[in-house]
Amino acid sequence: MLCLVVNLAAAPDRLAHMARAFARLGLPFERVDGLLGSDLVARSGPHPRLGPGTYGCLASHLAACRRIAESGEPWGAIFEDDLHFSADAARFLRDADWIPAGVDLVKLETFSTVTCLARVAAATVDGHDLKRLLAKHLGGGAYIVSARLAVRLAALDPRGIDVPIDTLLFNPRHLIDPNMVTLQMVPAIAIQEFKLFTPAEVRLASAIEPDRRERRAERYSGLLGRLRGATKSSRDALKRKIREIRQTIELRREDWERTTVPFGPPAD
């Protein structure tokens, strides 16, 4: 399978990390030159809705989709450069013969959150269920995309998209095609470093972290913002419960599954 790693030229440490990860899997990969949001802003002005880091990330993933579309391959896997893989990940990256027919997208990573999955697996491969993803499960660190979807994504203008790449791909409210079929692998075979470790343990800095900090600062500034911050945990719990109730009108409670998989410390 064509495996693409999105990597900024200014992040050789992250590229070295992924080179070691793929070497342990015994698989080749191809680097896709990541696009700096600041460069995009300098050329065409600020994005209407996204911060520079998120803008660059979105454009980089669409460029990776363009590489798949032009390759002539039926499938391609796209990875961000701070991933940690499970020991059996190579089984699913050598080829795509295990992906059921009619599928557009396979999410390989976990964001360590609870989401809603179809009751019955579309397939089970070597202990991993492939279940249709029915609710938001963010994270664009590791996924397999079909050539037909890659063509559609490659044709998009990132300035015309007002959400980050993971929202575009893995939030049913923002899909480019409401009929597309997305499967979640359970247990997942990949996780991003910032989701695996505490902030103090993270070694690979993210280019979109400044955007996250800016959004947090804006959201929680002033008296109202401080109140919002103080009540965030309670509000998040209430929103999760409301979302769960709404979706379980049609789906059994057992459909809610934690998509996480236990990962040990990195070998390097």
Side-chain angles (χ1 to χ4, degrees), residues 90-155:
R91 161 67 182 90
F92 302 96
L93 302 180
R94 289 193 185 98
D95 54 54
D97 61 358
W98 50 272
I99 301 177
V103 173
D104 300 289
L105 195 60
V106 182
K107 186 174 174 67
L108 301 175
E109 75 168 318
T110 175
F111 235 39
S112 292
T113 55
V114 173
T115 188
C116 191
L117 306 174
R119 183 182 313 150
V120 179
T124 299
V125 184
D126 292 346
H128 294 261
D129 286 339
L130 299 171
K131 293 191 172 185
R132 187 158 186 178
L133 184 63
L134 302 174
K136 179 175 70 173
H137 182 202
L138 298 184
Y143 56 94
I144 297 174
V145 60
S146 70
R148 61 178 176 269
L149 180 58
V151 168
R152 297 187 64 179
L153 291 168

Side-chain angles (χ1 to χ4, degrees), residues 83-89 108-110 112 187-192 196-197 259-266:
L83 284 174
H84 294 266
F85 291 106
S86 63
D88 62 347
L108 301 175
E109 75 168 318
T110 175
S112 292
I189 60 169
I191 189 170
Q192 294 183 62
L196 180 58
F197 299 127
T259 59
T260 189
V261 61
F263 282 78

